[in-house]
Amino acid sequence: MQVAALPLHPTATYVGKGFPKFGQPREIAHFSRDASRRVRFDKSGLGAYRTPRLPAALDVGFESYVPKSHDPNEPAPLGDVVAALSHKGVRTTDAHILTYRNNLNKIFGTVYNRKDDWEVGVERCADGTVLLHVMDTERKRAEEARRDERQQRMSYWGYKFEQLSTLDGGEDDGGPLPPVNANEEFCSIVQLSIDRTKLFMAAEIDCAATGGGGAPAAGCVDTAEEAGERRGKARLSGGSVLG
């Protein structure tokens, strides 16, 4: 039974329309996961950014790569986010919505991406807070099951570039680096607002750097394939909502 609908129009019809006011994100909690996916309420999983030496062979170490292990029915559980908020003494009732950034990417990107379907699990708690759970569609799960070695390597390139872009990846002294383990990660939880709606949003952060003025900047490192070459880039910002 349909309870609500949001009609979509051609992208051009939204140009010049009123834009909602976004509040500046502010970190209120965080947690780290180790290689065994054990959670610690600290920043041990946050690497320090360094400019990687390029070009780099991103295939190196693929054979010892440990991919991320998670429940396919709950790829990004909110329980760890709630626990991290509780550890900092933050009440979930202080927000209207609690979610991972992944869900906001899906919702806000729908206007520009009409091809890919998506699902979001919605749960209203007794205190009134709405939890948005990350969910994979049947199409996404089928695609993951069909991935060949090249597609698995392409996924690995991103994790390898992250290792080369962080001090925790080991000093580049010519010696071997430790195997890449995708289970190791850091998650930042920020408070922000969209007009009158208050959100607690969790997002995985690859690394952090210090800007010229001493202000910390957190962000992600990416790889992209251009003209047959694998290239990497870093995106660092003080308060990225989507990315």
Side-chain angles (χ1 to χ4, degrees):
M1 180 182 66
Q2 179 174 290
V3 295
L6 176 64
L8 293 179
H9 307 289
T11 307
T13 62
Y14 296 97
V15 177
K17 303 293 184 181
F19 195 79
K21 181 180 179 181
F22 281 73
Q24 177 69 32
R26 177 177 64 87
E27 184 177 87
I28 54 175
H30 53 259
F31 65 90
S32 300
R33 286 195 181 97
D34 64 15
S36 299
R37 296 194 67 75
R38 289 187 294 263
V39 172
R40 297 189 300 271
F41 301 118
D42 58 27
K43 293 192 174 184
S44 58
L46 180 62
Y49 176 74
R50 65 168 183 178
T51 303
R53 292 187 180 182
L54 299 176
L58 299 182
D59 275 320
V60 172
F62 174 73
E63 291 73 16
S64 58
Y65 164 54
V66 180
K68 184 175 295 188
S69 174
H70 62 256
D71 183 349
N73 295 317
E74 194 176 18
L78 282 173
D80 295 335
V81 177
V82 173
L85 290 171
S86 178
H87 181 76
K88 286 291 187 178
V90 180
R91 300 175 303 176
T92 57
T93 52
D94 292 337
H96 298 114
I97 297 174
L98 174 62
T99 182
Y100 273 97
R101 182 176 58 186
N102 176 281
N103 284 327
L104 299 186
N105 288 344
K106 293 174 181 177
I107 296 169
F108 293 158
T110 301
V111 174
Y112 306 98
N113 182 6
R114 312 293 182 90
K115 184 180 69 172
D116 293 337
D117 59 333
W118 52 263
E119 294 181 12
V120 172
V122 181
E123 176 186 359
R124 182 183 292 275
C125 299
D127 58 22
T129 303
V130 174
L131 308 183
L132 301 184
H133 297 274
V134 175
M135 298 179 65
D136 288 337
T137 62
E138 289 293 336
R139 172 192 56 81
K140 178 70 177 295
R141 286 193 286 267
E143 288 178 353
E144 289 292 317
R146 292 196 305 266
R147 286 201 308 170
D148 57 22
E149 181 178 329
R150 173 172 172 75
Q151 291 170 319
Q152 294 173 25
R153 285 182 180 273
M154 291 176 68
S155 176
Y156 171 74
W157 296 339
Y159 289 109
K160 183 63 178 181
F161 185 64
E162 177 185 340
Q163 183 189 59
L164 297 175
S165 301
T166 59
L167 291 176
D168 287 348
E171 294 297 334
D172 189 5
D173 57 2
L177 294 176
V180 172
N181 190 319
N183 292 291
E184 299 173 331
E185 59 188 12
F186 172 78
C187 182
S188 175
I189 306 166
V190 301
Q191 173 182 304
L192 69 147
S193 61
I194 303 176
D195 280 343
R196 297 181 180 180
T197 303
K198 297 179 181 179
L199 297 92
F200 288 166
M201 183 191 74
E204 182 180 349
I205 302 297
D206 293 338
C207 57
T210 300
C220 303
V221 292
D222 298 312
T223 58
E225 193 163 23
E226 301 176 1
E229 296 185 4
R230 296 185 295 275
R231 301 179 183 275
K233 64 179 179 179
R235 294 180 290 109
L236 298 175
S237 63
S240 173
V241 178
L242 301 178

